[in-house]
Amino acid sequence: MRIRLILLFVVLLPIAVLAQKENMPYVMLLGITQDGGYPHIGCQRKCCQPAINDKSKSRNVIALAIVSPTENKWWLVEATPNITEQLQLFSNKTLGKYPYLPEGIFITHAHMGHYTGLTYLGREALGAKEIPVYVMSKMKSYLETNGPWSQLVQLKNIAIHELTADKPEFLSSIISITPFLVPHRDEFSETAGFTIQAGKKKYLFIPDINKWTLFNRDIVEEVRKADIVFLDATFYSAEELAYRNITEVPHPFVRETMDLFKNAGASIKQKIVLIHFNHTNPLLSDPQKIKLFNKEGVRIGIQAAAY
Ligand SMILES: [Zn+2]
Ligand SMILES: [Zn+2]
Ligand SMILES: [Zn+2]
């Protein structure tokens, strides 16, 4: 075990030093769960017990920091109900090197885990001044015409910028982010995924999608073209949601995603980082299952890890 640790250190240290030396842009996962977080409200089952008993095992809702060291700037993807912890987590992990607030916030869609953190920017909490919030057109008009979000706009706590599908938004000379449409339960807004070009690396971020077969792109091909892809892994398999009607909340099962990539090589599979875990997903809390799954060559997202 000790030798393994030393070996890991010897291998990882030069990588860490190199990354820092080159000051390359990168992304950091500030959370990994589905909208309800972990532990999950109302769950008394085995899945949430570890996090109920030990707060260090709880996990934030999915969010991403895009970091540009040379420019000393960062951007936040998703405004989750855990935004307070996530801003602090980012500050701690980067040793306070960056401004506390991001240069802007990108939001995929109007489901509670992805945008309700915006309320913390308002008069009752932070009282922020014109934080740029980037959303697509339906999401924009939803925020502008419904309280409490409309108050954030009126009081200029946030300044909304409209994104257009497949049109890159340049954050700097080395970072751009491009939204694309994703099939999902669009009750209040459309749903976006994001392509992030950060320096030489291309990232893909798809936290919520109904099924890969409904997507107008070939996900295997998209993974091939990118360096790191963060993919919806809400449920491991159909069995885990026995207590709710799974057709109300469609997502690709991890097993379905793995089947799609069964003929892909190891170099393709290792680009995949699974995220947006429901509390019932064993990849969040079952050490046996995690150990077995790790052999499949796809990564499980780690909170506070950089990619
Ligand atoms: Zn979600
Ligand atoms: Zn649970
Ligand atoms: Zn959703």
Side-chain angles (χ1 to χ4, degrees):
M1 188 63 186
R2 202 158 159 188
I3 293 171
R4 239 196 266 170
L5 267 177
I6 292 168
L7 268 175
L8 195 70
F9 187 70
V10 169
V11 170
L12 287 182
L13 189 68
I15 296 172
V17 170
L18 198 71
Q20 215 147 47
K21 212 171 156 187
E22 292 188 4
N23 270 327
M24 300 297 276
Y26 62 93
V27 306
M28 186 190 289
L29 274 178
L30 300 178
I32 56 167
T33 80
Q34 175 269 359
D35 303 40
Y38 179 69
H40 199 268
I41 185 166
C43 183
Q44 299 297 323
R45 289 182 301 280
K46 206 175 142 200
C47 49
C48 287
Q49 284 312 307
I52 289 169
N53 298 334
D54 177 359
K55 201 165 183 314
S56 72
K57 294 202 165 85
S58 68
R59 292 292 177 266
N60 294 326
V61 176
I62 178 68
L64 205 63
I66 307 170
V67 192
S68 180
T70 50
E71 301 171 294
N72 199 40
K73 287 178 179 173
W74 75 286
W75 294 264
L76 179 64
V77 182
E78 310 290 32
T80 85
N82 302 129
I83 191 166
T84 308
E85 293 92 329
Q86 287 170 322
L87 293 180
Q88 197 56 52
L89 176 64
F90 178 72
S91 178
N92 292 349
K93 284 283 158 190
T94 53
L95 310 173
K97 184 174 174 284
Y98 295 88
Y100 172 72
L101 289 174
E103 299 291 313
I105 303 176
F106 289 79
I107 292 173
T108 54
H109 67 300
H111 281 162
M112 69 156 284
H114 303 263
Y115 82 110
T116 59
L118 288 177
T119 53
Y120 286 86
L121 306 179
R123 182 171 266 172
E124 306 93 315
L126 185 65
K129 296 208 169 38
E130 297 193 312
I131 295 192
V133 171
Y134 297 83
V135 292
M136 291 184 70
S137 64
K138 277 190 200 159
M139 183 76 191
K140 180 172 182 276
S141 50
Y142 172 69
L143 294 175
E144 285 169 344
T145 53
N146 292 281
W149 327 106
S150 52
Q151 184 176 288
L152 298 170
V153 179
Q154 280 149 21
L155 296 180
K156 297 195 164 131
N157 301 121
I158 61 171
I160 301 184
H161 296 257
E162 187 175 328
L163 296 170
T164 306
D166 307 315
K167 191 173 160 243
E169 182 76 31
F170 288 91
L171 308 183
S172 74
S173 58
I174 48 170
I175 297 183
S176 69
I177 179 162
T178 310
F180 52 87
L181 285 169
V182 167
H184 188 43
R185 295 173 286 114
D186 295 341
E187 298 95 337
F188 302 115
S189 72
E190 66 279 270
T191 299
F194 293 123
T195 302
I196 301 157
Q197 186 73 47
K200 289 179 185 139
K201 271 192 180 174
K202 185 178 173 180
Y203 300 89
L204 209 63
F205 179 70
I206 308 178
D208 272 277
I209 188 163
N210 282 10
K211 290 285 174 193
W212 297 122
T213 47
L214 303 172
F215 193 26
N216 61 6
R217 300 176 183 209
D218 175 357
I219 188 62
V220 179
E221 201 41 47
E222 294 299 312
V223 172
R224 220 179 280 279
K225 288 190 288 189
D227 296 293
I228 304 277
V229 294
F230 298 99
L231 298 186
D232 179 347
T234 310
F235 305 115
Y236 187 78
S237 66
E239 290 115 67
E240 80 194 67
L241 216 65
Y243 68 104
R244 272 188 61 178
N245 183 356
I246 206 147
T247 58
E248 284 174 8
V249 281
H251 288 274
F253 299 121
V254 171
R255 289 301 358 146
E256 290 174 341
T257 306
M258 295 307 294
D259 278 350
L260 277 180
F261 287 89
K262 68 173 185 282
N263 295 323
S267 62
I268 301 289
K269 283 187 187 166
Q270 56 89 29
K271 295 178 180 184
I272 300 173
V273 179
L274 300 178
I275 54 161
H276 200 270
F277 300 106
N278 196 54
H279 63 114
T280 52
N281 191 325
L283 297 185
L284 195 56
S285 58
D286 182 343
Q288 297 292 341
K289 201 89 175 184
I290 292 168
K291 206 172 160 190
L292 273 175
F293 187 79
N294 278 338
K295 291 181 186 147
E296 300 200 34
V298 165
R299 292 188 263 176
I300 297 172
I302 298 171
Q303 181 166 301
Y307 294 87

